[in-house]
Amino acid sequence: MIELQIAGDIAEVVLCAPEKRNAVDEAALHALADAYTEAERAGVRALVLRGEGKAFCAGRDISQVDPRTDDASGFMRGALQPLLEQMAAFPAPTFAVAHGACLGVGLGLLIATDVVYVAESAKLGSPFAALGATLDSGGHALLFERLGAHRAFDLIYSGRLLSGAEAVAAGLFSQSFPDDEVLEATRAAAAHAAQGPTLAFLATKEIMRGLRDDRQGLWRSVEAENAAQVELAQSSDFREGFEAFQQKRQPRFTGRG
């Protein structure tokens, strides 16, 4: 499900479940963490994160989740947040290739990466309005800081997804490329960074992390999202949203607990 490929000074971490658009469960998050740990031990000077198939990552794999017994706290606090913090602190420049669906947790993996190159036709955002849950993985901080409250509310309430070109134009990520060029563009950027002054780049990462921590945006957002998802997991709308997704029907929400 997760592969680590190391060639010289560059690591590629690959999501390898194209049959489910690289949706991830708790085991996959732990495997991702292990891949980043192994890449760090190998002393690579740049890392690329990408997904196989038609999508980067469609979010959490809920196909087998029973919303009545799901351990939302274990998934969010026990697996997801530690992984995002580990990714953000990786001691080398990191790059991600965003193509196809980049939703929920998939969006969070991009947020935790230094540089994100996006395919023009990629779809990014929050499908949570259909699940009786709320945007997580740092998505609130990303949308609020870069789009402002009104546009963030609009995207979350509507569930509308942004194309890759729209996301870059709005300032969410670095650059957009034609779909058939984005992987090679990302690899080229990682190769260039790997030949650069990586100690200086690490200093920049620490400065950037300090600026973000001073604003308390990202990690406080993740903590609040985790708490909200745990609470929402007890609601009838949450159960209805999950069951409707699994049964491939429209949910019937009541707006009550």
Side-chain angles (χ1 to χ4, degrees):
M1 181 176 292
I2 306 296
E3 288 186 2
L4 173 64
Q5 304 166 359
I6 298 178
D9 290 329
I10 302 173
E12 285 198 9
V13 177
V14 188
L15 308 178
C16 297
E19 71 284 355
K20 56 182 181 180
R21 298 190 299 168
N22 296 315
V24 292
D25 57 14
E26 189 167 344
L29 296 183
H30 289 304
L32 263 174
D34 290 343
Y36 273 72
T37 297
E38 187 174 344
E40 180 175 349
R41 288 174 179 162
V44 299
R45 297 179 66 189
L47 181 147
V48 172
L49 175 65
R50 64 180 180 87
E52 286 284 1
K54 296 182 178 180
F56 170 66
C57 176
R60 184 184 181 189
D61 181 6
I62 64 169
S63 58
Q64 304 301 316
V65 171
D66 184 341
R68 294 165 295 187
T69 59
D70 178 45
D71 181 9
S73 179
F75 182 83
M76 300 296 297
R77 294 188 175 119
L80 179 58
Q81 184 170 349
L83 170 64
L84 297 179
E85 293 189 16
Q86 178 185 4
M87 291 173 62
F90 188 79
T94 60
F95 299 78
V97 184
H99 78 290
C102 309
L103 310 176
V105 173
L107 184 62
L109 298 179
L110 299 180
I111 296 169
T113 303
D114 298 342
V115 178
V116 179
Y117 286 174
V118 187
E120 291 174 349
S121 68
K123 296 297 181 184
L124 302 103
S126 164
F128 290 94
L131 292 175
T134 191
L135 177 60
D136 58 27
S137 309
H140 286 87
L142 175 78
L143 298 182
F144 178 80
E145 288 179 359
R146 303 188 190 179
L147 301 182
H150 290 101
R151 294 166 73 189
F153 277 128
D154 181 36
L155 288 172
I156 294 169
Y157 288 173
S158 68
R160 185 174 74 83
L161 303 179
L162 296 173
S163 71
E166 287 178 312
V168 171
L172 295 183
F173 296 114
S174 306
Q175 297 185 58
S176 62
F177 295 87
D179 291 19
D180 59 353
E181 297 178 14
V182 65
L183 175 57
E184 288 311 311
T186 309
R187 284 173 167 163
H192 180 76
Q195 296 304 308
T198 46
L199 285 177
F201 294 158
L202 291 182
T204 292
K205 287 188 71 156
E206 286 300 311
I207 293 167
M208 293 287 198
R209 188 176 179 87
L211 292 171
R212 173 175 274 171
D213 290 346
D214 285 345
R215 294 200 310 272
Q216 296 184 337
L218 180 61
W219 302 122
R220 189 165 70 176
S221 168
V222 172
E223 285 282 3
E225 289 163 350
N226 291 350
Q229 294 291 44
V230 170
E231 183 175 350
L232 288 166
Q234 308 305 313
S235 72
S236 60
D237 274 355
F238 183 89
R239 293 189 293 273
E240 169 63 13
F242 268 58
E243 290 168 0
F245 177 86
Q246 293 164 340
Q247 297 165 13
K248 296 181 170 57
R249 62 173 174 80
Q250 288 295 314
R252 296 181 291 273
F253 294 129
T254 65
R256 297 190 293 272

